[in-house]
């Protein structure tokens, strides 16, 4: 078992799920994922050109449960899908930064409706990215190319927004991911400014997560952010290929760089059936495949499992967080 220990916390690597696939079991340049009920995981693949755009339904046991969506501009289809989340009823919301809209599906993937129109005025979208729901089931959308965050009713009626372009406090430069904690405070991955900013529901800046004076905890293009029940904050450091972890006050805790020494169950099945691939991989000069490569999204479930999605390796790496190192040691 691969273990990282820091500040009284233990992060045990568990296993990974995923492999490259244009359709079916696997992902293709995944961009985001969300945890549903009964262990279901929805993974959003961006694909390439006109192939591979879809939402895959899987579970923690690596079972493939189907998929929905495909390339196109018609209802229920995607061009450049970017982010995914669920409302309290389990409906699936997917942002599309090319079509400048949010598409809504039922739990199994049947298309229901969409909202969003292109523009820069309030309520319009230009490159929508991250999406998250607050305790009132209100969707908040990162309007990336308009450098702001907007919230809507569930049918797309504009309610409010905050943020403008810049590098000052409370400003954004092409923001990406978003999450909302139990107090309805909003965390935004400010991609172009290499930081995560935390706001109140009214849009007031509360805290910034970024490098210390010594450079520890530095970010380069943060893409995703998550908060666990202890208030610890997890940031996918897209440009540096790592996961940075901070406490609730913004103090750096530690970094994870990936630990997938063994292939996923899906990949192992493929390799077993294609032994010549194993030989070719051994001859190739590959970078360490256990490491993260372009991590794009992170989530933490109620059991303390930390899931990190890698866009370029088409997989999820899963860790378990333990709070007490001494207790953990006694159980070994």
């Amino acid at each position: 078992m691969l273990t990282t220990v820091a500040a009284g916390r233990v992060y045990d690597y568990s296993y990974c799920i995923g492999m490259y696939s244009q359709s079916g079991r696997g992902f293709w340049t995944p961009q985001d994922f969300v945890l549903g009920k009964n262990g279901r995981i929805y993974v959003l693949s961006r694909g390439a050109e006109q192939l591979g755009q879809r939402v895959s339904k899987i579970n923690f046991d690596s079972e493939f449960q189907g998929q929905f969506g495909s390339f196109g501009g018609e209802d229920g289809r995607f061009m450049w899908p970017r982010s995914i989340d669920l409302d309290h009823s389990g409906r699936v919301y997917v942002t599309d930064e090319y079509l400048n809209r949010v598409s809504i599906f039922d739990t199994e993937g049947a298309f229901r409706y969409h909202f969003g129109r292109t523009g820069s005025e309030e309520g319009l979208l230009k490159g929508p990215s991250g999406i998250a729901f607050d305790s009132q089931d209100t969707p908040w959308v990162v309007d990336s190319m308009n450098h702001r965050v907007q919230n809507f009713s569930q049918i797309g009626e504009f309610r409010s927004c905050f943020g403008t372009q810049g590098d000052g406090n409370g400003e954004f430069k092409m923001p990406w991911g978003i999450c909302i904690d139990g107090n309805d405070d909003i965390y935004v991955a400010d991609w172009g400014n290499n930081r995560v900013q935390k706001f109140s529901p009214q849009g007031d800046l509360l805290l910034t997560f970024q490098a210390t004076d010594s450079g520890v905890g530095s970010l380069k293009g943060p893409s995703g952010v998550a908060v666990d029940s202890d208030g610890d904050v997890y940031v996918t450091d897209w440009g540096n290929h790592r996961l940075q972890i901070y406490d609730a006050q913004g103090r750096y805790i530690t970094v994870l760089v990936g630990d997938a020494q063994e292939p996923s169950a899906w990949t192992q099945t493929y390799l077993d059936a294609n032994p010549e691939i194993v030989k070719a991989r051994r001859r190739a000069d590959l970078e360490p495949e256990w490491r993260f490569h372009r991590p794009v999204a992170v989530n933490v479930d109620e059991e303390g499992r930390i899931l990190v999605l890698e866009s370029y390796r088409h997989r999820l790496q899963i860790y378990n967080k333990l709070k007490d190192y001494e207790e953990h040691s006694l159980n070994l």
Side-chain angles (χ1 to χ4, degrees):
M1 182 176 292
L2 301 170
T3 302
T4 299
V5 182
R9 300 159 175 87
V10 180
Y11 306 96
D12 278 337
Y13 173 75
S14 186
Y15 63 102
C16 65
I17 303 174
M19 62 178 287
Y20 165 77
S21 176
Q22 293 187 15
S23 183
R25 191 171 66 170
F27 318 127
W28 190 358
T29 319
Q31 296 296 299
D32 198 10
F33 71 103
V34 63
L35 306 177
K37 295 180 179 179
N38 301 316
R40 173 169 286 181
I41 307 170
Y42 297 85
V43 181
L44 177 65
S45 287
R46 192 182 187 104
E49 298 181 350
Q50 299 182 13
L51 293 171
Q53 293 80 3
R54 65 189 187 273
V55 176
S56 301
K57 298 177 291 185
I58 65 171
N59 65 18
F60 281 92
D61 294 324
S62 301
E63 294 175 346
F64 176 69
Q65 300 176 338
Q67 64 185 44
F68 58 92
S70 60
F71 178 83
E74 298 84 5
D75 288 352
R77 307 178 78 180
F78 314 120
M79 298 283 277
W80 291 355
R82 176 59 84 181
S83 187
I84 186 170
D85 203 11
L86 306 178
D87 67 14
H88 294 179
S89 299
R91 289 179 296 186
V92 183
Y93 289 62
V94 179
T95 64
D96 191 310
E97 62 178 355
Y98 182 89
L99 296 171
N100 295 311
R101 72 186 186 195
V102 181
S103 294
I104 294 89
F105 305 82
D106 70 15
T107 302
E108 295 304 319
F111 174 75
R112 293 308 184 202
Y113 61 95
H114 63 71
F115 67 81
R117 293 185 295 119
T118 304
S120 57
E121 298 179 3
E122 288 185 346
L124 304 182
L125 298 169
K126 187 176 181 182
S129 182
I131 183 170
F133 285 83
D134 63 20
S135 65
Q136 302 304 308
D137 220 12
T138 299
W140 293 77
V141 179
V142 175
D143 190 8
S144 184
M145 299 308 294
N146 284 322
H147 314 283
R148 65 189 178 191
V149 176
Q150 303 198 73
N151 81 78
F152 300 85
S153 72
Q154 290 188 2
I155 59 173
E157 300 166 325
F158 172 75
R159 289 183 172 173
S160 67
C161 68
F162 64 86
T164 187
Q165 184 173 8
D167 59 8
N169 291 337
E171 297 177 334
F172 300 118
K173 183 178 180 181
M174 294 183 291
W176 190 334
I178 185 173
C179 77
I180 300 177
D181 68 17
N183 297 318
D184 280 342
D185 292 329
I186 302 161
Y187 301 70
V188 182
D190 190 4
W191 187 84
N193 285 322
N194 299 317
R195 64 189 180 188
V196 168
Q197 298 191 82
K198 176 183 177 181
F199 298 87
S200 72
Q202 293 74 39
D204 299 318
L205 180 65
L206 302 176
L207 193 62
T208 300
F209 301 82
Q210 58 188 350
T212 64
D213 292 338
S214 63
V216 173
S218 63
L219 298 167
K220 184 179 179 181
S223 51
V225 58
V227 182
D228 69 16
S229 59
D230 300 314
D232 289 346
V233 177
Y234 304 80
V235 182
T236 45
D237 191 0
W238 184 86
N240 287 318
H241 310 287
R242 61 192 181 187
L243 181 76
Q244 299 276 34
I245 306 175
Y246 306 83
D247 70 12
Q249 288 72 48
R251 295 182 294 248
Y252 170 80
I253 295 175
T254 191
V255 61
L256 301 178
V257 298
D259 290 287
Q261 300 282 1
E262 300 294 330
S264 71
W266 295 348
T267 300
Q268 190 61 58
T269 298
Y270 175 78
L271 294 176
D272 290 344
N274 298 273
E276 70 280 1
I277 298 296
V278 178
K279 296 178 182 179
R281 287 162 63 91
R282 288 173 180 169
R283 289 193 298 266
D285 184 19
L286 298 173
E287 62 180 317
E289 291 187 270
W290 52 268
R291 295 195 59 143
F292 294 138
H293 196 180
R294 297 301 188 203
V296 289
V298 57
N299 279 300
V300 185
D301 71 5
E302 295 178 351
E303 298 180 22
R305 289 181 292 196
I306 305 160
L307 294 86
V308 182
L309 181 66
E310 301 174 72
S311 180
Y312 279 31
R313 299 213 194 278
H314 320 284
R315 70 185 177 193
L316 288 159
Q317 291 199 42
I318 301 174
Y319 291 79
N320 295 308
K321 176 189 175 184
L322 302 172
K323 300 178 185 178
D324 192 318
Y325 179 60
E326 292 183 359
E327 179 181 342
H328 170 70
S329 299
L330 291 173
N331 291 330
L332 292 179

